[in-house]
């Protein structure tokens, strides 16, 4: 059966945990504080390292590509812990507890460097939620997130229960009116963030060179941005430890291409995105959170 028939690999993976457990963790975190509940975060990371062999294999395969050396259990644990930490921190960011974190901005910040709306193309790299710090700093600035409903549905339902206002600016991708909603928000001057490294079922995938191998990326977000002729920024919220994050921006396109070859413009934009993603992965290798086989089969196996 083809990948289009099955759906992308991440959609075929069942989510772990339960709603009541996530709610308990949320309550403990907000009641006891970040420092105390970090102990639980370490335990969760250890559990996934030991109990989820598929994620462990994917972690090893990615880290060996990125670090270009054999990796050990300490590397795998650090990878899992970084992921668990960003999810834990998201609870506080969604409740506007920005004083707990040191967030620095690097690169041209959309809305400050140029007026009007823009696309913010991120990845499952670091914390996308630190964008809320940017929205809070900007007078009148708004950040909307366009996301796939299948992506971590349980976690998002819990976070919505914690702070309902936090999900008011979420646009569900894949619906008939998604594009019109996104266009309307951008025309109103909003920044629309999309995690552009994962696809939904039946979306066209394009194989591109990434960390020494071929990996498939969805072309849909890029085709949409080119069609709307809007600026596109690469964005990453890299976790550096001890509550520190680097919120990095890189302008990929000003949206004003005069080329009539739209397919070439889309391909160039995708290449720039993947090149930026690779640089940021090498800069902060433990921040990559796609725990499934991401690359095309090339004879390599992770154990």
């Amino acid at each position: 059966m083809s990948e289009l028939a099955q759906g992308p690999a991440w959609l075929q993976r069942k989510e772990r945990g339960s709603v009541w457990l996530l709610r308990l963790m949320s309550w403990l975190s907000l009641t006891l504080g970040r420092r105390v509940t970090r102990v639980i975060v370490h335990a969760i990371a250890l559990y996934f390292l030991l109990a989820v062999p598929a994620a462990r294999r994917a972690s090893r395969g990615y880290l060996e590509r990125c670090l270009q050396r054999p990796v050990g259990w300490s590397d795998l644990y650090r990878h899992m812990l970084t992921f668990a930490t960003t999810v834990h921190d998201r609870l506080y960011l969604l409740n506007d507890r920005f004083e707990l974190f040191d967030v620095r901005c690097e690169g041209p910040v959309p809305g400050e460097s140029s007026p009007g709306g823009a696309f913010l193309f991120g990845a499952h790299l670091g914390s996308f939620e630190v964008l809320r710090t940017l929205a809070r700093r900007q007078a009148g600035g708004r950040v909307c997130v366009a996301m796939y409903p299948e992506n971590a549905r349980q976690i998002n339902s819990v976070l919505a229960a914690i702070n309902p206002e936090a999900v008011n600016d979420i646009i569900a991708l894949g619906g008939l009116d998604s594009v019109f909603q996104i266009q309307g928000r951008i025309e109103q001057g909003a920044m629309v963030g999309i995690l552009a490294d994962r696809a939904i079922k039946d979306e066209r995938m394009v194989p591109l060179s990434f960390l020494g191998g071929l990996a498939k990326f969805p072309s849909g977000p890029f085709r949409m941005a080119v069609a709307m002729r809007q600026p596109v920024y690469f964005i990453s919220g890299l976790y550096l430890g001890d509550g520190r994050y680097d919120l990095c921006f890189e302008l990929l396109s000003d949206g004003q291409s005069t080329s009539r070859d739209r397919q070439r413009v889309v391909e160039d934009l995708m290449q720039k995105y993947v090149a930026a993603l690779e640089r940021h992965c090498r800069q902060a290798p433990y921040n990559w959170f796609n725990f499934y086989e991401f690359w095309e089969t090339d004879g390599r196996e992770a154990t």
Side-chain angles (χ1 to χ4, degrees):
M1 186 180 296
S2 68
E3 179 177 310
L4 284 179
Q6 291 179 309
W10 72 270
L11 278 176
Q12 300 171 41
R13 297 281 298 275
K14 293 184 178 180
E15 297 175 21
R16 287 183 168 263
S18 61
V19 172
W20 74 265
L21 186 58
L22 290 170
R23 288 183 184 276
L24 175 61
M25 183 61 190
S26 301
W27 180 83
L28 289 173
S29 298
L30 296 173
T31 302
L32 301 178
R34 184 174 183 271
R35 185 178 299 274
V36 173
T37 50
R38 282 281 294 163
V39 175
I40 304 176
V41 173
H42 279 266
I44 291 173
L46 182 61
Y47 165 77
F48 275 93
L49 175 63
L50 299 176
V52 190
R56 188 169 63 242
R57 288 193 299 269
S59 174
R60 185 184 298 276
Y62 156 72
L63 288 175
E64 287 183 347
R65 287 181 180 276
C66 193
L67 298 174
Q68 297 181 314
R69 62 169 174 79
V71 301
W73 283 86
S74 62
D75 293 298
L76 301 178
Y77 177 70
R78 183 178 176 183
H79 193 193
M80 303 286 183
L81 179 61
T82 303
F83 172 61
T85 297
T86 60
V87 174
H88 185 225
D89 288 350
R90 190 180 184 193
L91 298 171
Y92 300 102
L93 291 167
L94 281 167
N95 281 274
D96 297 333
R97 296 293 307 277
F98 301 123
E99 76 280 1
L100 297 175
F101 305 99
D102 177 15
V103 181
R104 300 183 303 173
C105 287
E106 296 184 1
V109 178
E112 294 180 359
S113 57
S114 59
F119 281 100
L120 307 178
F121 280 4
H124 289 77
L125 178 75
S127 173
F128 205 59
E129 196 60 45
V130 295
L131 268 176
R132 287 173 52 79
T133 65
L134 173 66
R136 185 172 183 260
R137 290 174 183 176
Q138 287 185 296
R142 295 183 66 194
V143 175
C144 306
V145 179
M147 61 186 300
Y148 302 119
E150 295 87 352
N151 189 359
R153 187 185 303 272
Q154 287 184 333
I155 293 178
N156 284 306
S157 66
V158 172
L159 297 180
I162 295 171
N163 185 355
E165 293 183 1
V167 297
N168 289 339
D169 284 328
I170 291 180
I171 301 171
L173 290 173
L176 295 176
D177 63 340
S178 300
V179 174
F180 298 106
Q181 290 186 53
I182 291 172
Q183 184 172 7
R185 297 294 182 92
I186 289 182
E187 290 175 352
Q188 294 169 10
M191 294 170 284
V192 176
I194 300 177
L195 299 179
D197 58 339
R198 287 187 187 176
I200 57 175
K201 189 174 182 179
D202 298 331
E203 187 169 3
R204 181 186 174 190
M205 305 290 286
V206 177
L208 296 170
S209 178
F210 176 54
L211 291 175
L214 285 179
K216 289 184 176 180
F217 291 85
S219 64
F222 303 91
R223 288 187 281 108
M224 178 171 57
V226 170
M228 291 186 185
R229 297 177 61 84
Q230 297 294 337
V232 178
Y233 291 79
F234 177 86
I235 180 173
S236 65
L238 301 177
Y239 177 68
L240 305 179
D242 297 325
R244 295 178 295 117
Y245 286 88
D246 271 355
L247 188 54
C248 307
F249 297 92
E250 180 179 336
L251 181 64
L252 301 181
S253 170
D254 62 7
Q256 302 302 312
S257 174
T258 59
S259 174
R260 295 186 177 181
D261 188 347
R262 181 174 293 182
Q263 182 60 31
R264 171 58 67 87
V265 177
V266 170
E267 291 173 358
D268 288 346
L269 181 57
M270 293 187 72
Q271 292 282 1
K272 291 179 180 178
Y273 169 84
V274 174
L277 177 59
E278 181 169 313
R279 286 196 305 273
H280 284 76
C281 282
R282 294 198 186 280
Q283 176 185 342
Y286 300 97
N287 275 250
W288 170 257
F289 304 140
N290 279 311
F291 292 104
Y292 61 92
E293 182 52 50
F294 197 80
W295 283 264
E296 297 280 88
T297 302
D298 60 359
R300 295 177 51 171
E301 293 185 2
T303 56

